[in-house]
Amino acid sequence: MSKRLQTESDDTIEQVDEIAQRLFGVTERMRKNFQETCDSFDLTAAQARTLLALNDRAPMRNLSDVLQCDASNVTGIADRLEAKDLVRRETSASDRRVTLLAITPKGERVRRRLQESINASSPVNVKLSAAEQTTLGDLLAKLDT
Amino acid sequence: MSKRLQTESDDTIEQVDEIAQRLFGVTERMRKNFQETCDSFDLTAAQARTLLALNDRAPMRNLSDVLQCDASNVTGIADRLEAKDLVRRETSASDRRVTLLAITPKGERVRRRLQESINASSPVNVKLSAAEQTTLGDLLAKLDT
DNA sequence: TATTGTTATACTCTATAACTATA
DNA sequence: TATAGTTATAGAGTATAACAATA
């Protein structure tokens, strides 16, 4: 292998590594941003994610899939959201084993403000034009397949 | 505000949210990929990150900055890497308070194979062309400022 | 006085296993 | 027999505080 080709290969590897580092860096910052927003709403990240995932109502089991955590964790999250009157537990009519988490009117108001706050402060929204956002979305979609 | 403008605004918000979700999704998969590679090398993620950060030798304090963790954590990481003969502790000649972590020949071989394995399996490398990688890198750089 | 690395300890997050009530 | 949710408990990861050695 010639020296020139070797160099090109090294450049490629470095670019891949640099992009990976930046991906982690960007999402880490967005994660911290999310955490700060959660703090200002007096919610843990898990509680906020649950609220955002709750369009209307959903089985608790369903939520553990969305949150990518064990079902046992959802119990505590639901307890604390219920204590804040942001969600309430309902027994499913069709399967009495299933408990649905339903968002309350207060929870719906919080959810909406939370979503707005997150999107408004998102670097994706602040730093990129609409066209750049589309390009980024397409590239990420490729990575996601 | 007209109905049409309202709709456009909603579309933008949805796009921002979708891109954010995909960013988290992509990095989460890369993180899992990294974890699997670490497992196959019988290293924890923290040990692997330390090894990758160690070009030659570095003060332990320096490493806690790079790893973005408390200095007290580096002690344990160094203990286990030293037990595997991948690094060794050296006292700095210029400041006897400072302990340097120096990579061993065995550590250097492992580090190289680890880096190759990670880059080769990276979605950035596998799923994107060189041109797309450059575009992605530029967009991430914008997000990172 | 301040800093490096160490130790002991505590806290958070998450998973596992056993349990109940339903199916 | 299998599944939804609960409970108790254990593990990993990380941070805080006190300490010895050195600057």
Side-chain angles (χ1 to χ4, degrees):
Chain A
M1 189 187 273
S2 75
K3 193 158 186 291
R4 179 73 190 128
L5 281 172
Q6 179 65 53
T7 302
E8 278 184 5
S9 174
D10 284 357
D11 285 356
T12 302
I13 289 301
E14 267 180 40
Q15 171 162 293
V16 167
D17 194 36
E18 188 192 322
I19 291 171
Q21 294 307 317
R22 251 201 252 273
L23 264 170
F24 285 116
V26 167
T27 50
E28 179 58 19
R29 210 167 72 192
M30 288 174 71
R31 205 195 53 74
K32 279 182 181 157
N33 198 53
F34 182 72
Q35 182 64 59
E36 281 169 18
T37 305
C38 293
D39 290 348
S40 75
F41 279 81
D42 199 30
L43 295 168
T44 67
Q47 289 166 24
R49 290 181 63 206
T50 303
L51 214 53
L52 290 171
L54 224 56
N55 252 19
D56 175 44
R57 71 200 63 220
M60 289 178 64
R61 184 52 194 254
N62 198 323
L63 285 166
S64 69
D65 293 337
V66 174
L67 300 174
Q68 295 197 74
C69 70
D70 192 88
S72 62
N73 295 319
V74 182
T75 300
I77 297 170
D79 286 348
R80 283 158 236 139
L81 284 176
E82 204 171 25
K84 292 176 201 232
D85 191 30
L86 299 175
V87 306
R88 62 168 175 274
R89 282 175 163 88
E90 297 177 355
T91 301
S92 165
S94 57
D95 184 341
R96 289 172 50 75
R97 292 175 306 180
V98 173
T99 301
L100 301 169
L101 240 50
I103 199 160
T104 63
K106 180 182 174 190
E108 177 55 30
R109 287 195 298 276
V110 171
R111 193 192 67 77
R112 204 181 324 244
R113 286 196 297 122
L114 187 64
Q115 183 75 70
E116 275 168 16
S117 178
I118 290 162
N119 287 334
S121 65
S122 170
V124 175
N125 194 37
V126 175
K127 302 268 176 64
L128 299 185
S129 70
E132 288 170 333
Q133 288 176 24
T134 302
T135 305
L136 178 58
D138 291 346
L139 288 170
L140 290 174
K142 273 204 171 191
L143 284 175
D144 220 357
T145 48
Chain B
M1 186 186 275
S2 76
K3 194 157 184 292
R4 180 68 190 133
L5 283 171
Q6 178 65 54
T7 303
E8 276 182 7
S9 172
D10 283 357
D11 284 357
T12 302
I13 290 299
E14 266 180 41
Q15 172 163 290
V16 168
D17 193 36
E18 188 192 323
I19 290 171
Q21 293 307 316
R22 252 201 252 272
L23 265 169
F24 285 116
V26 167
T27 49
E28 179 59 18
R29 210 170 70 190
M30 286 174 72
R31 203 195 56 72
K32 279 182 182 158
N33 198 52
F34 182 70
Q35 182 63 59
E36 280 169 18
T37 305
C38 293
D39 290 347
S40 74
F41 278 79
D42 200 29
L43 295 168
T44 67
Q47 289 167 23
R49 290 181 61 207
T50 303
L51 214 53
L52 291 171
L54 225 54
N55 252 18
D56 176 43
R57 71 199 63 219
M60 288 178 66
R61 185 52 192 254
N62 198 321
L63 286 166
S64 70
D65 293 337
V66 174
L67 300 174
Q68 296 197 75
C69 70
D70 191 87
S72 62
N73 294 320
V74 182
T75 300
I77 297 170
D79 286 348
R80 281 159 235 139
L81 284 175
E82 205 172 25
K84 290 177 202 233
D85 191 31
L86 299 176
V87 306
R88 62 170 173 272
R89 281 176 165 86
E90 295 177 356
T91 301
S92 166
S94 58
D95 184 342
R96 289 172 52 75
R97 290 175 306 180
V98 172
T99 301
L100 302 168
L101 241 49
I103 199 159
T104 62
K106 181 181 173 189
E108 177 55 30
R109 287 196 297 276
V110 171
R111 195 191 66 76
R112 205 182 322 245
R113 287 197 296 121
L114 189 62
Q115 184 75 69
E116 276 169 17
S117 178
I118 289 161
N119 287 336
S121 65
S122 169
V124 175
N125 194 36
V126 175
K127 303 268 176 67
L128 299 185
S129 70
E132 287 170 333
Q133 288 176 25
T134 302
T135 306
L136 178 58
D138 292 345
L139 288 171
L140 290 175
K142 275 205 169 191
L143 285 175
D144 220 356
T145 47

